[in-house]
Amino acid sequence: MKKKYMAEPFKIKSVEPLQMLDRKGREQAIENAGYNTFLIKSEEVYIDLLTDSGTNAMSDKQWAGIMVGDEAYAGSRNWYHLEETVQELFGFKHLVPTHQGRGAENLLSRILVKPGTYIPGNMYFTTTRAHQEMNGGTFVDVIIDEAHEPDRDDIIFKGNVDLNKFEALIKKVGADKIPYICVGVTVNLAGGQPVSMANLREVNALAKNHGIRVMFDATRCVENAFFIKDREKGYENKSIKEIIHEMFSYADGCTMSGKKDCIVNIGGFLAMNDEELFQKAKSIVVVFEGMPSYGGMAGRDMEAMAIGLREAMDYNYIKHRVEQVAYLGEQLSEAGVPIVKPVGGHAVFLDAQAFLPHLTQDEFPAQALAAEIYVDSGVRTMERGIVSAGRDKEGKNHYPKLELVRLTIPRRVYTYAHLDYVAESIINVYKQRDTVKGLKWVYEPPVLRFFTGRFEPIKK
Ligand SMILES: *Cc1c(COP(=O)(O)O)cnc(C)c1O
């Protein structure tokens, strides 16, 4: 039987009823929110594609795990369960739990990043780079050039490290000034693009030649493992678990946000083999997070994370997740809606400049498009363009090359019917795109303006 798509590999035991405002209600809601989807109340949203961070649906087994939370201050049994799960799946000797991914980034950066050092990475991630810079380091982008080109859909591992760029940096600043290379698997800001196993192997070999550590940002590693199985020769018959194990054999440690591929709502960890790094991390985790046996998580949260990680190794789970994202991308692409290609592991990105060519970038096309989609259907998306890019030190606007609207798919939360609804709405907005008006500032916050900024439509 040939299938249109892979149906959900789960059945639904508990439901969260959704409210659907009518169009008038949505117009009022977006006006109240200053045309900023971050300021809409969650109850006013029908389908929420703002982020896939911490928005996962847990399984019945994870909820059962919540009930066996051991909330002892020290030595909780859930901690031992989480520790042995990560040791087994990732192959690292040591684990330091944190409240979420950035907690692990903080510990790692404080220990290894010193003023005057350089940290190469395959494109930056916001919190990761912020921690490196706060400790006096300089982030250097060593991703392949094609990762920055939205219409290059012929590159199947768009997250790969450019080894020439990495080697050039080593020659320029010296290996002793590079505490580690941070490799994101997948690369969030490139649109969830994967790194190949061959590239991970080569990065490791080059780094080892120069005595440089390799640290993964493991946040989306299961999505990356799926792409390797799906696209890289020699991995077709390997299990996700085997692929994960090999991937991490090319790293000395990792930071992890549990809010993504561990299929939980909160949590994270730092993992490593190095004894000295472990001792240092254990001595500062108590200051920033909590005891090394809970690190800011409740016992029940550690239990849910241990169970979630194991569930994430299930091929059908991850196949369904990544294919859902691809399905939404295909529906839009077939209708002529401009999107970034290839579609990555967690989100579809609309190219707002191509979508709304009658607006200049100063009229905030992505912001306006996200607001319009909400009004059309109650679907919440996020601007990733000039508003998110902010201003430089002189106060001038950054003009990012990409002006995007992100549709992020939470794990196990929505069905294909929901995705069809999303696609229909966006195609509908696309048909009436000439009527979408640009926006102007009503209130512009000095930092991270996309979170709380307010706008109104330009009347023309
Ligand atoms: C979300 C994310 C982080 C940060 O994790 P938090 O749990 O939100 O602190 C780091 N790296 C990547 C790639 C992410 O997607």
Side-chain angles (χ1 to χ4, degrees):
M1 183 174 87
K2 174 135 174 47
K3 299 187 205 77
K4 191 162 136 203
Y5 45 61
M6 176 189 172
E8 283 71 24
F10 50 81
K11 58 183 178 176
I12 296 164
K13 180 174 299 197
S14 174
V15 298
E16 186 179 336
L18 294 169
Q19 178 174 267
M20 275 182 93
L21 294 179
D22 59 11
R23 190 175 170 102
K24 244 180 129 193
R26 295 192 297 264
E27 279 169 0
Q28 190 59 55
I30 197 74
E31 197 186 320
N32 293 346
Y35 294 82
N36 185 346
T37 53
F38 278 97
L39 300 180
I40 301 173
K41 291 182 187 149
S42 145
E43 289 187 338
E44 296 164 339
V45 172
Y46 174 48
I47 295 178
D48 203 346
L49 307 185
L50 190 73
T51 175
D52 69 338
S53 178
T55 53
N56 305 308
M58 294 207 294
S59 68
D60 54 352
K61 295 210 173 57
Q62 287 176 291
W63 281 109
I66 294 277
M67 286 307 293
V68 295
D70 169 7
E71 307 306 340
Y73 191 83
S76 156
R77 69 171 166 257
N78 313 120
W79 153 247
Y80 293 111
H81 183 199
L82 177 62
E83 185 185 41
E84 82 200 17
T85 303
V86 173
Q87 285 168 338
E88 180 198 322
L89 296 179
F90 291 8
F92 294 125
K93 288 200 194 99
H94 306 298
L95 183 69
V96 179
T98 58
H99 74 286
Q100 58 184 81
R102 67 199 68 184
E105 293 167 355
N106 177 37
L107 302 181
L108 179 70
S109 302
R110 279 179 181 268
I111 297 166
L112 293 180
V113 178
K114 302 282 172 267
T117 58
Y118 297 83
I119 307 91
N122 50 345
M123 206 175 270
Y124 76 98
F125 184 74
T126 50
T127 56
T128 319
R129 185 176 69 184
H131 280 296
Q132 293 163 356
E133 289 173 347
M134 276 165 66
N135 287 285
T138 303
F139 164 81
V140 181
D141 190 5
V142 295
I143 201 165
I144 56 171
D145 286 337
E146 292 88 341
H148 294 279
E149 298 169 30
D151 44 3
R152 279 302 291 272
D153 61 355
D154 55 321
I155 312 282
I156 54 173
F157 288 105
K158 238 175 159 180
N160 277 358
V161 172
D162 184 329
L163 294 159
N164 294 325
K165 288 186 189 171
F166 181 24
E167 195 158 24
L169 179 72
I170 299 171
K171 284 219 178 84
K172 189 169 153 212
V173 305
D176 57 328
K177 289 275 188 304
I178 304 176
Y180 60 94
I181 176 169
C182 174
V183 184
V185 286
T186 62
V187 185
N188 187 343
L189 292 202
Q193 302 297 334
V195 181
S196 71
M197 192 74 88
N199 190 249
L200 293 176
R201 203 177 295 128
E202 287 165 353
V203 168
N204 181 269
L206 179 56
K208 288 288 101 75
N209 259 338
H210 293 89
I212 297 169
R213 282 190 189 82
V214 179
M215 300 298 290
F216 284 179
D217 179 342
T219 301
R220 299 170 179 285
C221 63
V222 185
E223 290 161 8
N224 201 103
F226 175 79
F227 283 120
I228 289 176
K229 182 174 168 71
D230 202 41
R231 298 179 180 175
E232 193 162 351
K233 215 165 162 271
Y235 291 91
E236 310 84 337
N237 298 319
K238 297 234 191 277
S239 68
I240 297 294
K241 192 176 161 188
E242 287 167 326
I243 293 171
I244 289 277
H245 215 271
E246 183 180 342
M247 282 167 62
F248 284 89
S249 72
Y250 304 125
D252 299 290
C254 73
T255 56
M256 178 71 161
S257 166
K259 302 175 74 170
K260 290 35 172 296
D261 276 0
C262 298
I263 333 182
V264 288
N265 307 117
I266 194 72
F269 57 80
L270 174 65
M272 73 288 276
N273 286 323
D274 188 313
E275 195 64 42
E276 201 187 317
L277 181 59
F278 178 51
Q279 293 307 331
K280 285 185 181 161
K282 269 208 297 193
S283 70
I284 62 169
V285 73
V286 272
V287 182
F288 293 101
E289 307 278 331
M291 279 277 289
S293 64
Y294 72 86
M297 279 185 279
R300 53 180 173 265
D301 294 332
M302 293 191 281
E303 188 64 24
M305 193 152 116
I307 298 168
L309 251 182
R310 215 171 269 286
E311 288 179 1
M313 299 299 130
D314 174 37
Y315 175 64
N316 285 331
Y317 151 73
I318 190 62
K319 178 176 160 66
H320 173 263
R321 190 249 181 316
V322 174
E323 286 186 0
Q324 262 203 333
V325 180
Y327 173 82
L328 178 60
E330 270 163 39
Q331 300 306 301
L332 296 175
S333 196
E334 278 168 17
V337 176
I339 62 168
V340 176
K341 290 182 186 169
V343 172
H346 67 289
V348 175
F349 291 80
L350 306 178
D351 181 345
Q353 260 166 340
F355 200 115
L356 302 174
H358 60 288
L359 300 186
T360 68
Q361 207 169 7
D362 287 309
E363 294 171 323
F364 311 118
Q367 188 79 27
L369 182 54
E372 186 66 25
I373 292 167
Y374 172 74
V375 171
D376 187 69
S377 58
V379 173
R380 171 152 70 173
T381 60
M382 181 197 289
E383 192 262 10
R384 277 285 116 128
I386 184 167
V387 178
S388 296
R391 293 177 184 271
D392 65 14
K393 284 182 191 124
E394 276 84 55
K396 288 205 204 73
N397 279 314
H398 287 293
Y399 285 90
K401 211 170 126 191
L402 301 179
E403 179 74 22
L404 308 174
V405 170
R406 189 177 84 179
L407 313 162
T408 337
I409 315 297
R411 295 168 189 76
R412 303 196 290 210
V413 173
Y414 294 117
T415 65
Y416 277 94
H418 287 120
L419 297 182
D420 283 339
Y421 176 88
V422 172
E424 278 166 27
S425 166
I426 290 167
I427 292 165
N428 184 45
V429 172
Y430 188 60
K431 286 185 183 145
Q432 308 160 23
R433 58 192 179 278
D434 306 347
T435 64
V436 179
K437 294 196 178 72
L439 297 173
K440 62 180 188 213
W441 288 109
V442 172
Y443 163 63
E444 183 184 348
V447 288
L448 297 177
R449 61 188 187 175
F450 58 96
F451 281 130
T452 55
R454 301 183 69 85
F455 302 82
E456 66 183 23
I458 298 169
K459 297 197 180 64
K460 270 193 201 162

